[in-house]
Amino acid sequence: MTRTAPETDLGIMFVMTDLLEDVIQKSTKQAPQPSMYDGEKAPGIEVREYMKRLVRYTGCDVDTIIIAIIYIDRICINAGIAITGNNVHRLLLAGFVVAIKWRQDRVHGNGHYATVGGVTRQELNRLERTALNDLKWETHVPQKAYANYLQHFKGIMEQEGKPHSI
């Protein structure tokens, strides 16, 4: 995996949250079916702030964030679900936790991740189990897939005139 500079990390994270917000806007118009990731209502925290919170309190790097987004894409495809305001936070949390556990040598317990994500430990356990099942337990991300996502995000940053120094 390619390591990026901190200002690029922030730019990529903002691109990701902007893309997620766009997807939510489109899916809201279609009234998708509820999924196992749906909360009763959308949390009171914006997607960008939620992602910043996850990054800040889990200590994950941009590589882990990109892998989490790849997992979310796979989950949505495999489970046939659309990203909505009611599920984006739980999808992010599940994706982050699975990616962190796959990539990092030192991880926190699920109680920590649950607190950071604003859910109970039991809810996080269920989300993680559901995510792994929806991923068909295929957590490996080929270098080419990772590079394609990274290039996509960098391309958007360039189009929007955001700094990048990869």
Side-chain angles (χ1 to χ4, degrees), residues 4 10 19 29 67 89 104 139 144 148 152:
T4 60
L10 194 59
L19 290 172
K29 297 174 185 172
I67 289 170
H89 297 83
Q104 297 181 287
T139 56
K144 184 171 174 82
N148 288 340
H152 179 69

PDB file of all heavy atoms in Angstrom, residues 4 10 19 29 67 89 104 139 144 148 152:
ATOM      1  N   THR A   4       0.611   7.954   2.265  1.00  0.00           N
ATOM      2  CA  THR A   4       0.363   9.315   1.800  1.00  0.00           C
ATOM      3  C   THR A   4       0.712  10.322   2.876  1.00  0.00           C
ATOM      4  O   THR A   4       0.821   9.995   4.054  1.00  0.00           O
ATOM      5  CB  THR A   4      -1.116   9.490   1.417  1.00  0.00           C
ATOM      6  OG1 THR A   4      -1.903   9.235   2.574  1.00  0.00           O
ATOM      7  CG2 THR A   4      -1.508   8.547   0.300  1.00  0.00           C
ATOM      8  N   LEU A  10      -6.257  13.941   4.675  1.00  0.00           N
ATOM      9  CA  LEU A  10      -7.429  14.764   4.951  1.00  0.00           C
ATOM     10  C   LEU A  10      -8.216  15.023   3.668  1.00  0.00           C
ATOM     11  O   LEU A  10      -9.437  14.918   3.648  1.00  0.00           O
ATOM     12  CB  LEU A  10      -7.001  16.076   5.600  1.00  0.00           C
ATOM     13  CG  LEU A  10      -8.088  16.910   6.237  1.00  0.00           C
ATOM     14  CD1 LEU A  10      -8.806  16.127   7.318  1.00  0.00           C
ATOM     15  CD2 LEU A  10      -7.503  18.190   6.811  1.00  0.00           C
ATOM     16  N   LEU A  19     -18.405  12.048  -1.601  1.00  0.00           N
ATOM     17  CA  LEU A  19     -18.987  11.007  -2.445  1.00  0.00           C
ATOM     18  C   LEU A  19     -20.115  10.275  -1.720  1.00  0.00           C
ATOM     19  O   LEU A  19     -21.163   9.990  -2.307  1.00  0.00           O
ATOM     20  CB  LEU A  19     -17.914  10.014  -2.897  1.00  0.00           C
ATOM     21  CG  LEU A  19     -16.896  10.524  -3.902  1.00  0.00           C
ATOM     22  CD1 LEU A  19     -15.774   9.498  -4.102  1.00  0.00           C
ATOM     23  CD2 LEU A  19     -17.551  10.853  -5.234  1.00  0.00           C
ATOM     24  N   LYS A  29     -33.939   9.619  -2.938  1.00  0.00           N
ATOM     25  CA  LYS A  29     -34.993   9.800  -3.934  1.00  0.00           C
ATOM     26  C   LYS A  29     -35.625   8.479  -4.356  1.00  0.00           C
ATOM     27  O   LYS A  29     -36.733   8.449  -4.861  1.00  0.00           O
ATOM     28  CB  LYS A  29     -34.428  10.516  -5.165  1.00  0.00           C
ATOM     29  CG  LYS A  29     -33.930  11.907  -4.866  1.00  0.00           C
ATOM     30  CD  LYS A  29     -33.244  12.520  -6.060  1.00  0.00           C
ATOM     31  CE  LYS A  29     -32.640  13.863  -5.680  1.00  0.00           C
ATOM     32  NZ  LYS A  29     -31.817  14.419  -6.745  1.00  0.00           N
ATOM     33  N   ILE A  67      -9.458   1.030   2.437  1.00  0.00           N
ATOM     34  CA  ILE A  67      -9.903  -0.365   2.499  1.00  0.00           C
ATOM     35  C   ILE A  67     -11.309  -0.448   3.093  1.00  0.00           C
ATOM     36  O   ILE A  67     -12.142  -1.226   2.619  1.00  0.00           O
ATOM     37  CB  ILE A  67      -8.883  -1.221   3.274  1.00  0.00           C
ATOM     38  CG1 ILE A  67      -7.617  -1.359   2.411  1.00  0.00           C
ATOM     39  CG2 ILE A  67      -9.452  -2.587   3.636  1.00  0.00           C
ATOM     40  CD1 ILE A  67      -6.441  -1.966   3.110  1.00  0.00           C
ATOM     41  N   HIS A  89     -23.612   5.627   8.643  1.00  0.00           N
ATOM     42  CA  HIS A  89     -22.760   5.656   9.832  1.00  0.00           C
ATOM     43  C   HIS A  89     -22.412   4.235  10.282  1.00  0.00           C
ATOM     44  O   HIS A  89     -21.256   3.945  10.598  1.00  0.00           O
ATOM     45  CB  HIS A  89     -23.444   6.425  10.962  1.00  0.00           C
ATOM     46  CG  HIS A  89     -23.691   7.856  10.637  1.00  0.00           C
ATOM     47  ND1 HIS A  89     -24.793   8.257   9.904  1.00  0.00           N
ATOM     48  CD2 HIS A  89     -22.990   8.976  10.918  1.00  0.00           C
ATOM     49  CE1 HIS A  89     -24.747   9.566   9.758  1.00  0.00           C
ATOM     50  NE2 HIS A  89     -23.668  10.031  10.362  1.00  0.00           N
ATOM     51  N   GLN A 104      -4.165  -3.752  10.949  1.00  0.00           N
ATOM     52  CA  GLN A 104      -3.305  -3.275  12.028  1.00  0.00           C
ATOM     53  C   GLN A 104      -2.946  -4.394  13.006  1.00  0.00           C
ATOM     54  O   GLN A 104      -3.754  -5.283  13.277  1.00  0.00           O
ATOM     55  CB  GLN A 104      -3.971  -2.111  12.747  1.00  0.00           C
ATOM     56  CG  GLN A 104      -4.161  -0.910  11.810  1.00  0.00           C
ATOM     57  CD  GLN A 104      -4.795   0.268  12.483  1.00  0.00           C
ATOM     58  OE1 GLN A 104      -5.975   0.256  12.776  1.00  0.00           O
ATOM     59  NE2 GLN A 104      -3.992   1.288  12.720  1.00  0.00           N
ATOM     60  N   THR A 139     -11.588 -10.581   3.037  1.00  0.00           N
ATOM     61  CA  THR A 139     -11.083  -9.280   3.485  1.00  0.00           C
ATOM     62  C   THR A 139      -9.832  -8.837   2.741  1.00  0.00           C
ATOM     63  O   THR A 139      -9.413  -7.691   2.894  1.00  0.00           O
ATOM     64  CB  THR A 139     -10.794  -9.296   4.999  1.00  0.00           C
ATOM     65  OG1 THR A 139      -9.885 -10.360   5.285  1.00  0.00           O
ATOM     66  CG2 THR A 139     -12.081  -9.484   5.798  1.00  0.00           C
ATOM     67  N   LYS A 144      -4.063  -3.924  -6.894  1.00  0.00           N
ATOM     68  CA  LYS A 144      -4.641  -3.223  -8.050  1.00  0.00           C
ATOM     69  C   LYS A 144      -5.960  -2.548  -7.678  1.00  0.00           C
ATOM     70  O   LYS A 144      -6.209  -1.414  -8.069  1.00  0.00           O
ATOM     71  CB  LYS A 144      -4.832  -4.185  -9.212  1.00  0.00           C
ATOM     72  CG  LYS A 144      -5.337  -3.518 -10.470  1.00  0.00           C
ATOM     73  CD  LYS A 144      -5.307  -4.477 -11.649  1.00  0.00           C
ATOM     74  CE  LYS A 144      -5.926  -3.871 -12.863  1.00  0.00           C
ATOM     75  NZ  LYS A 144      -5.078  -3.012 -13.622  1.00  0.00           N
ATOM     76  N   ASN A 148      -6.617   1.440  -7.694  1.00  0.00           N
ATOM     77  CA  ASN A 148      -7.707   2.042  -8.478  1.00  0.00           C
ATOM     78  C   ASN A 148      -8.526   3.011  -7.631  1.00  0.00           C
ATOM     79  O   ASN A 148      -8.878   4.108  -8.089  1.00  0.00           O
ATOM     80  CB  ASN A 148      -8.615   0.959  -9.066  1.00  0.00           C
ATOM     81  CG  ASN A 148      -7.961   0.205 -10.198  1.00  0.00           C
ATOM     82  OD1 ASN A 148      -7.003   0.664 -10.808  1.00  0.00           O
ATOM     83  ND2 ASN A 148      -8.485  -0.980 -10.478  1.00  0.00           N
ATOM     84  N   HIS A 152      -8.692   7.052  -8.109  1.00  0.00           N
ATOM     85  CA  HIS A 152     -10.004   7.698  -8.264  1.00  0.00           C
ATOM     86  C   HIS A 152     -10.123   8.886  -7.311  1.00  0.00           C
ATOM     87  O   HIS A 152     -10.518   9.985  -7.718  1.00  0.00           O
ATOM     88  CB  HIS A 152     -11.118   6.682  -8.023  1.00  0.00           C
ATOM     89  CG  HIS A 152     -12.484   7.245  -8.124  1.00  0.00           C
ATOM     90  ND1 HIS A 152     -13.040   7.664  -9.320  1.00  0.00           N
ATOM     91  CD2 HIS A 152     -13.423   7.490  -7.180  1.00  0.00           C
ATOM     92  CE1 HIS A 152     -14.251   8.141  -9.100  1.00  0.00           C
ATOM     93  NE2 HIS A 152     -14.509   8.045  -7.811  1.00  0.00           N
TER      94      HIS A 152
END
